[in-house]
Amino acid sequence: MAPVKGAGELPMEQLPEYADFFEKLKAFHDERGTILDTNARVNGKHIDLYKLFKVVTQRGGYDIVSSEKLAWRKVGQEFNLGATNTAAYAFALKTVYYKNLAAYEIKTVHDREPPPKEILEDISAKGGDLLTRTVENFKPPQARENLANEQGSDMSGDEEHKTPKEEKMELDDPGSGGGRSTRGLRQAPPQRVLFQPNLSSSRQVRQSSGHLQSPQPHTAISSSYNHNPSSNPNSVSFSIANYEPRPQIPLTLRPVTTPGNNPAQFKENLRRVREATAAKLGKSIPSSKGMMLPGTGFEGPNIYVRTLNALRSGVPEEQDYALHHLVKISHERGDKYKFEAFPGLADGLIEKALEVSVLFYNLKWNISLREDEHTKELYSLDGINGTSDILQRIQSLQSLDLSDEMETDEFHHSLTKINEAGLVLRNMSLLEDNAEYLSRKHPLRDFLSVALNLPTLPSVTELQHYALDIAEQLTKYWSLDVSDPLYLSLLKQLDGIDRGAILTALRAISRISMNLEESNRLKDVPISIIKRICEWVLLDDEELVHSCLDFLYQYTAVPDNVALLLASTWDNTLSLSSLLSQLVRLLLFNSHEVISKRLIAPATPVTPAKEIPPIPVDLLEQITKFDEPDRSSHWLRSCFEEDPESDITQIALWQAYQARFTEFSTAQNPLSPAADFIKNVSATFSTANAQVIPGPNPKFIIKGIRPRHVPTDFKGNHYSRCLWKPPGQLKACGELLLRPKDMWEHIVILHLRLSQTDGGKFDLKGVDQQQLFNCHWAGCRHFAATGGTKSPYEVGMHLKTHLPDTSEMASTRAKHNRSLPIRPSSHDPDVGSATNGYGGAASFPDFEELGGRDAAFSLQTWYTTATDERNDAAGLPLTSVLVLRNLARNIPKAAITLQDRTGDRAGKDKVGWTQGLFSPLKERLWFVIAHNKPLAHYVVDLMGMIERDAE
C-alpha cells in the first residue's frame, strides 16, 4: 500500500516550485531551440518530468546514473513501470530524461554550458559522459547492425553504452532468501525456428536509404534467457517502441526578391530592360543626370510655414491640412511655437474661428482695418479698436433653425474645423508670450463675445469652453469696464449651470487687469450673481470655492461693492452673516491636528525608603497561613522591590523578618534558619545576591533589593497610608489600607468620629450642630477660610477628592483633571502632598517620604493648514482671511456710503454693523489665533481692525 500523505502535505503538482520548474524548463528549451515533451510516456504511463529530474539529480545526475549498472532500472521503479521488459523501459525512461532534462541539468545543476543539440538531443541516448562531451571528442554511436557484429559486445558490463537487450535471469536455489521476485517460475522452452538458409551474398549491400542491411535474427535463443518477444531487441515490438525518427536536415532557404523588399534592384532591372529595348530599336534614352526630378532637390518650406500658407490660402482642403497639423504642433510644441515668429497666423485662426456665425446665423464677419468702415455694415468688425456694439449686433441676428440631434456632413465638418481653430488659439495662449501677443488683437475679443453668446446648443459647448480658457489667459492684460461686451458675456456665464464654464468665467473675471496698474473694481455685478457666489462658497467643492473666494477678494476690496452687500443684507436679499460664518469655518479647512509636548517640571528621582514598611493586619493574616519558605517569599515580595543599585545588610533583613514572625513560629511551622532565609532571598528576586564587602570588619549584604515605601498585596496592589494629621500632632495617622473605600470609612469613623447605624449608614442627625468639621488630610486648607463646616456630609464628600476615583466614570473625569502640581517647598511643613499612594492624576507619591515625582508636561494642540514653500499660509484658509479683512476694513466705509444714500434708513451706525456681524465670530477667531500658526498674524490683523472699529 502506498504511504498516506500527511494532512498538511500538498500534492507535488500544487507546490509553488512545481510550476516554477516547468516555466524555467520551457524557457530553457525555447532559448536552446529544442522541443520540450511535457507529456512523455513509458509503457503507457505519464512520466512527471519534475519527479524524474529530482530522482536523477538526487542520485548524482545523468552521468553518474548512466555509469552505474542497472541504475536506470532502479530509477524506473520510482515510476512503477512494470516488472517485465525492465531493460526496454529503463532505456525509454533514460531517453525521456536525455531529450528533455539532460541539457537543463548540465546548465542548472553543474553550472556548465551543455553540448550543442546536434550531439545531444538530436541523437540517441546511448552512452553517457555528457559533462565532458564536445564536438571534437564525440564519436557518434554506431548503428545497431554494427554493434551486433562486434565481438564481445554482449560481454560489456556497461549496459547504458549500447542498446538494451535481454537480461540473463539469475536463478537461485529454491530455499535461497536473496533470489529475485521471479525465482521458482518455470522458464519458457526455447523457441523452435525452422532452418532457413542465408541466400544473400556475404557482401553487404547498401540500400537506397543509405543504411546497411540489417543481419538476420538469431535462429535460436539461449535457454539461459527468459524468452519475451517484447523485450527482445530484435523483435518488431521492441523496434517500434524504440523507434526514433531520422533527424531533420535544415533546408537552405533563399529569400525571394520582390519590389517590396528590394525596390532598388527592380528599378535597376527595369532600367536595363529599357536600355536593351532601346538598343534593339536603335534609339537612345535621354540622360537625366543633373536634372532636378520631382520630389528631389529643393525640399520646400518647413511644416510651420507650410501650415501658415495653407491657412491663409483660403482653399478649404489646404486649411483642413493646416488645422490638422496646427492642433498637433500647438499641443506638442506650444512652449516654443510663438505667433510673433509667424505673422498672420493669429489673424488666420481668428478669421477661421469667426466662421462659426455662418453656421448659426448665416453671417460671415468681415474684419475691417479702415476707420469708420466697420460702422456701415452689420457684418463688419472693427479690427483696430474692437467692436463696442458687438452684443447688439448679435442680438439683432436671427439664428437658424438647427436640430442638434441631426447634423449634415458639411455642417459637422465645418464645425470641427472651427473647433480646431479655437483649440489652437487656446493651446498657444497658454504661453505667456503668445497671450500678450493675442491681447493686442481686438478681433479676438470680438470672437470671444460671439462665441460666448451663441445659441444654447450642446454642439457649441466645446467652442465656448475654448473661448473661456482663452479669456482666462488674456483678461489680465485687459481693462474691462462695465459696458464692455466681453465683461458682460463673462458675467452671463455665471447664470448658467455648467460647472466648468462657471469656474473658468470666475477665474477670468478675477484676473481682469491683473498685470495693469489699474485695479479691477468689478462694478455693477448683479446682486443675483453675488447671491449665487455666496451660496457656492457653502458647497463641498474646493475648486469652485477657491474660484468664488478669489472673486470675492477682488469684489470686497471696493467699498461701494461692500455697501451693496450691506444694503442686500438689510433688505434680506442675502445673508452676509452666513457668508462670514462660512469664511471663518474655512480658516481651518483641511487642517491637520498636531499635538506638541512641553516640559513644565522635570522628573525628580524617588528617595529610597528609610525603613522596612509595617505589615497591615489583613496582609499579615494571609502571609501567616503559609509554611516556610513560602511565608518568607511572600513577605519579601510585599515589603521589598528589585533595584540593582541598592543593598541591605543580611543581619538587618533577618532581624526584621524575625521581629515580624517570631510570635507566629511553632514547633510544626518554625522560622527558616538564617542561611536558608538568605538563600531564599536570591530565589525570590532575580537581581538579589549575597555579597561580602571586604575590610577590617567585613560587611555581609544582599545586593539588588530595597524596601518599599508601602507594602503590596499578593497581586501587586499598593496599600495607601492615611495622611490625616490634625493640628498639634507631629506625624500623620499612617494607617495602611488597600481600598479607597476602606480609607474613606477609616477617616469618617476614626477621625471625624461619626457613628454608624445597624444598617451600615452614618448617623448624621445625632451630630452636634455646633461642632465644626474640617479636613486635615496632608495639610489640606479647603475649609481654612471659614474655619470649618457644620456639615459632616460636605467634609465626607470633600474627602473623596483626596482618594483615587475607582468608579466607572473615572476615565471620563480624568480628562478634565489638571496637570500635576509642582513639588511643595521643603521649608513649609504645613503644606503637604495630596496623595495616597494609589497613583493617577489625583494621586502621586508623598513628597515628604519619597522626594520624587514624574515629569509634568503641557500639551498644546495645533491645527495646521496649507502652507507654501516658505511655510506661509496658502490655499482656502489664506483667501478666506483676506476676504474677512477686506470686509472688516470696508464695512465702516460702506456703512457711511449707505447712510448717505438712504438717509440712515439702512445705514445704522458704522460700529453697529461691524460689531453686529463680527461679535458672534470672535471666539472662533481667537481659537484660530491660538491654534493655527500660519494664519495667526493674519487673524490678529483682522481682530485689530474689529477692535479699532469698536473704539
Side-chain angles (χ1 to χ4, degrees):
M1 179 182 292
V4 180
K5 292 185 177 181
E9 184 178 353
L10 293 175
M12 182 179 296
E13 295 79 6
Q14 299 183 12
L15 294 176
E17 57 266 26
Y18 188 84
D20 183 62
F21 170 82
F22 279 95
E23 182 178 356
K24 294 180 179 179
L25 182 61
K26 184 178 184 305
F28 176 82
H29 278 274
D30 292 342
E31 181 180 359
R32 186 171 173 83
T34 53
I35 300 175
L36 173 64
D37 184 12
T38 58
N39 195 26
R41 291 180 175 274
V42 175
N43 193 22
K45 296 183 179 181
H46 173 69
I47 301 300
D48 191 338
L49 297 182
Y50 178 76
K51 180 179 178 181
L52 179 61
F53 184 80
K54 289 293 184 181
V55 172
V56 174
T57 53
Q58 288 174 359
R59 291 176 175 266
Y62 180 89
D63 286 350
I64 301 299
V65 175
S66 298
S67 63
E68 181 183 352
K69 188 174 182 179
L70 304 179
W72 282 105
R73 297 190 186 187
K74 297 177 182 178
V75 174
Q77 293 175 1
E78 299 285 340
F79 295 86
N80 196 19
L81 299 179
T84 59
N85 301 331
T86 55
Y89 298 152
F91 184 80
L93 185 63
K94 176 183 177 182
T95 303
V96 171
Y97 191 94
Y98 181 87
K99 298 287 186 182
N100 298 284
L101 299 172
Y104 183 73
E105 174 198 326
I106 297 172
K107 181 67 175 178
T108 58
V109 177
H110 303 289
D111 197 17
R112 296 186 184 180
E113 283 298 324
K117 63 179 182 178
E118 289 78 13
I119 61 173
L120 189 59
E121 288 92 341
D122 293 346
I123 62 175
S124 173
K126 302 173 184 177
D129 299 330
L130 297 184
L131 293 175
T132 58
R133 180 181 296 182
T134 61
V135 177
E136 293 76 12
N137 64 15
F138 176 70
K139 295 181 180 180
Q142 296 178 347
R144 184 177 303 164
E145 297 80 5
N146 295 340
L147 290 175
N149 294 330
E150 290 183 0
Q151 294 182 355
S153 61
D154 292 340
M155 303 302 294
S156 175
D158 188 359
E159 65 163 0
E160 309 303 339
H161 288 71
K162 60 181 182 293
T163 303
K165 57 187 296 183
E166 285 185 318
E167 289 289 332
K168 181 180 179 180
M169 178 172 292
E170 298 176 4
L171 300 180
D172 301 315
D173 296 335
S176 173
R180 303 170 66 90
S181 59
T182 57
R183 75 178 188 275
L185 297 178
R186 185 175 64 86
Q187 301 182 26
Q191 185 178 9
R192 295 183 179 181
V193 180
L194 297 177
F195 173 75
Q196 295 180 358
N198 188 2
L199 302 179
S200 61
S201 173
S202 60
R203 181 180 180 182
Q204 295 180 349
V205 181
R206 184 177 298 275
Q207 302 295 325
S208 60
S209 60
H211 294 279
L212 296 178
Q213 181 179 4
S214 300
Q216 295 295 328
H218 298 286
T219 58
I221 301 177
S222 174
S223 60
S224 62
Y225 286 84
N226 286 329
H227 177 65
N228 190 337
S230 61
S231 63
N232 186 0
N234 297 321
S235 64
V236 177
S237 60
F238 183 83
S239 300
I240 294 175
N242 293 275
Y243 169 76
E244 294 183 8
R246 184 183 306 169
Q248 296 182 356
I249 301 175
L251 300 178
T252 303
L253 301 179
R254 292 179 296 176
V256 178
T257 304
T258 64
N261 60 21
N262 197 346
Q265 180 177 349
F266 271 82
K267 185 177 180 180
E268 179 65 19
N269 294 341
L270 182 60
R271 184 187 64 79
R272 293 176 180 176
V273 171
R274 289 178 179 177
E275 291 180 352
T277 305
K280 290 180 180 180
L281 298 177
K283 298 180 179 180
S284 61
I285 299 178
S287 175
S288 60
K289 185 176 182 181
M291 181 184 300
M292 184 180 294
L293 300 177
T296 63
F298 180 66
E299 297 181 357
N302 57 30
I303 186 62
Y304 303 109
V305 178
R306 175 75 175 85
T307 54
L308 173 60
N309 295 334
L311 182 65
R312 302 292 291 173
S313 67
V315 180
E317 293 77 6
E318 291 291 326
Q319 289 183 338
D320 295 348
Y321 167 84
L323 291 172
H324 171 77
H325 286 279
L326 283 174
V327 170
K328 185 176 181 180
I329 293 172
S330 64
H331 176 69
E332 297 178 353
R333 304 288 295 175
D335 56 334
K336 295 183 179 180
Y337 196 38
K338 298 182 180 181
F339 283 120
E340 291 182 348
F342 303 95
L345 178 60
D347 299 320
L349 292 171
I350 295 172
E351 292 175 1
K352 185 64 179 179
L354 282 171
E355 293 181 6
V356 68
S357 297
V358 178
L359 301 179
F360 295 94
Y361 301 110
N362 196 23
L363 174 68
K364 183 175 182 179
W365 299 103
N366 178 38
I367 300 176
S368 174
L369 299 178
R370 299 180 61 182
E371 293 289 343
D372 299 334
E373 181 180 344
H374 62 279
T375 60
K376 299 178 181 179
E377 302 293 343
L378 177 65
Y379 56 84
S380 182
L381 302 178
D382 188 356
I384 299 176
N385 302 313
T387 308
S388 58
D389 60 343
I390 185 67
L391 293 182
Q392 290 77 7
R393 298 189 185 190
I394 295 173
Q395 293 173 0
S396 65
L397 298 176
Q398 182 67 33
S399 60
L400 300 179
D401 186 13
L402 299 174
S403 174
D404 196 64
E405 298 178 356
M406 299 293 294
E407 296 179 351
T408 62
D409 291 341
E410 181 181 0
F411 180 90
H412 176 73
H413 177 76
S414 300
L415 183 60
T416 300
K417 296 305 171 183
I418 293 172
N419 288 336
E420 289 180 354
L423 177 58
V424 174
L425 287 170
R426 180 258 181 197
N427 290 344
M428 297 189 65
S429 66
L430 298 178
L431 186 63
E432 197 68 25
D433 293 342
N434 288 336
E436 186 177 2
Y437 179 87
L438 289 175
S439 66
R440 299 192 294 268
K441 297 290 183 180
H442 291 279
L444 180 62
R445 292 173 62 170
D446 294 337
F447 159 69
L448 297 179
S449 300
V450 171
L452 296 178
N453 288 278
L454 289 173
T456 306
L457 294 172
S459 57
V460 302
T461 302
E462 181 179 356
L463 184 62
Q464 287 181 338
H465 277 278
Y466 294 154
L468 288 171
D469 289 340
I470 297 171
E472 180 184 354
Q473 301 299 324
L474 270 60
T475 52
K476 56 187 175 183
Y477 298 103
W478 292 333
S479 177
L480 306 179
D481 55 23
V482 294
S483 61
D484 190 280
L486 180 58
Y487 180 73
L488 298 175
S489 300
L490 291 174
L491 289 178
K492 180 183 176 182
Q493 298 297 316
L494 301 181
D495 280 329
I497 58 175
D498 189 339
R499 176 182 176 276
I502 292 173
L503 276 172
T504 314
L506 281 172
R507 288 195 289 260
I509 295 173
S510 301
R511 296 184 179 187
I512 292 176
S513 63
M514 182 183 295
N515 288 13
L516 305 178
E517 294 182 359
E518 184 180 354
S519 60
N520 181 18
R521 304 185 66 85
L522 295 181
K523 292 184 177 180
D524 295 344
V525 180
I527 193 62
S528 59
I529 293 179
I530 299 298
K531 184 178 179 180
R532 295 193 73 187
I533 293 175
C534 294
E535 292 173 351
W536 291 336
V537 174
L538 303 175
L539 298 178
D540 187 15
D541 188 339
E542 183 177 356
E543 188 177 8
L544 179 60
V545 172
H546 201 287
S547 300
C548 293
L549 291 180
D550 286 341
F551 177 89
L552 289 175
Y553 174 69
Q554 299 284 345
Y555 186 81
T556 56
V558 181
D560 290 343
N561 294 338
V562 179
L564 180 61
L565 295 178
L566 295 182
S568 302
T569 303
W570 176 259
D571 297 337
N572 294 325
T573 305
L574 60 82
S575 176
L576 188 57
S577 59
S578 299
L579 174 63
L580 294 177
S581 178
Q582 175 66 4
L583 292 175
V584 174
R585 185 186 70 84
L586 291 176
L587 295 179
L588 296 177
F589 178 79
N590 276 353
S591 59
H592 302 283
E593 182 178 351
V594 178
I595 299 178
S596 62
K597 195 174 182 182
R598 185 172 63 88
L599 179 65
I600 296 178
T604 304
V606 178
T607 303
K610 299 177 181 179
E611 59 183 13
I612 301 174
I615 299 296
V617 177
D618 57 339
L619 181 60
L620 184 62
E621 292 178 356
Q622 298 179 39
I623 294 177
T624 54
K625 294 179 181 179
F626 293 92
D627 298 334
E628 295 293 349
D630 294 336
R631 178 168 57 191
S632 59
S633 295
H634 284 297
W635 177 76
L636 289 169
R637 292 193 187 98
S638 298
C639 299
F640 294 87
E641 60 185 349
E642 294 182 348
D643 184 3
E645 303 300 327
S646 300
D647 61 76
I648 185 174
T649 61
Q650 298 180 13
I651 187 63
L653 185 62
W654 166 245
Q655 290 176 352
Y657 179 68
Q658 279 188 321
R660 298 293 191 277
F661 296 98
T662 299
E663 58 180 310
F664 302 101
S665 176
T666 62
Q668 292 77 16
N669 188 17
L671 296 181
S672 297
D676 295 342
F677 175 80
I678 297 303
K679 292 180 181 179
N680 192 34
V681 174
S682 299
T684 304
F685 298 102
S686 60
T687 59
N689 58 85
Q691 296 182 3
V692 178
I693 302 178
N697 297 318
K699 187 178 180 181
F700 297 87
I701 64 170
I702 298 292
K703 183 73 174 180
I705 62 173
R706 69 178 181 188
R708 296 181 183 272
H709 290 276
V710 291
T712 61
D713 64 358
F714 293 166
K715 296 181 180 180
N717 299 319
H718 287 77
Y719 279 79
S720 175
R721 181 177 283 107
C722 178
L723 302 179
W724 192 271
K725 183 181 177 183
Q729 292 189 6
L730 299 179
K731 295 184 64 176
C733 171
E735 183 72 19
L736 293 171
L737 296 169
L738 186 61
R739 297 186 305 167
K741 180 180 178 182
D742 297 340
M743 179 64 71
W744 187 81
E745 292 179 353
H746 162 76
I747 297 172
V748 172
I749 296 174
L750 184 62
H751 299 298
L752 296 183
R753 296 187 176 88
L754 294 180
S755 59
Q756 284 183 295
T757 62
D758 296 338
K761 296 183 179 180
F762 292 95
D763 183 13
L764 301 180
K765 296 181 180 180
V767 177
D768 185 2
Q769 299 298 324
Q770 301 300 323
Q771 181 181 357
L772 293 178
F773 294 90
N774 207 333
C775 177
H776 300 294
W777 180 275
C780 176
R781 303 179 62 84
H782 182 73
F783 299 100
T786 59
T789 177
K790 295 181 179 180
S791 173
Y793 177 81
E794 183 179 357
V795 178
M797 293 297 101
H798 165 73
L799 285 174
K800 293 184 178 181
T801 62
H802 296 300
L803 305 178
D805 190 358
T806 58
S807 64
E808 297 179 354
M809 298 295 294
S811 58
T812 303
R813 294 169 183 156
K815 297 180 181 179
H816 305 284
N817 291 341
R818 296 186 178 183
S819 58
L820 299 182
I822 307 301
R823 178 181 176 182
S825 59
S826 58
H827 62 271
D828 188 1
D830 294 333
V831 180
S833 167
T835 182
N836 43 36
Y838 286 97
S843 171
F844 47 91
D846 183 2
F847 292 116
E848 271 189 303
E849 296 190 22
L850 308 185
R853 67 149 179 258
D854 294 333
F857 295 93
S858 173
L859 301 181
Q860 174 66 44
T861 302
W862 302 96
Y863 294 93
T864 304
T865 51
T867 57
D868 57 12
E869 62 276 3
R870 297 177 299 177
N871 204 28
D872 197 5
L876 289 182
L878 175 61
T879 316
S880 300
V881 73
L882 294 178
V883 175
L884 288 171
R885 289 203 311 182
N886 282 349
L887 290 171
R889 181 188 301 111
N890 293 324
I891 280 178
K893 303 175 184 178
I896 297 175
T897 304
L898 186 62
Q899 183 179 2
D900 295 340
R901 293 178 182 176
T902 61
D904 202 25
R905 180 174 58 86
K908 287 189 177 182
D909 183 65
K910 62 178 182 178
V911 176
W913 273 109
T914 305
Q915 296 302 315
L917 292 171
F918 283 97
S919 292
L921 308 174
K922 286 185 178 181
E923 183 178 354
R924 295 163 62 185
L925 293 174
W926 285 119
F927 181 86
V928 174
I929 293 174
H931 296 85
N932 192 323
K933 290 182 180 180
L935 282 180
H937 67 280
Y938 292 98
V939 184
V940 167
D941 292 343
L942 172 62
M943 293 298 296
M945 296 177 185
I946 298 173
E947 296 302 328
R948 284 194 299 271
D949 187 71
E951 297 174 358

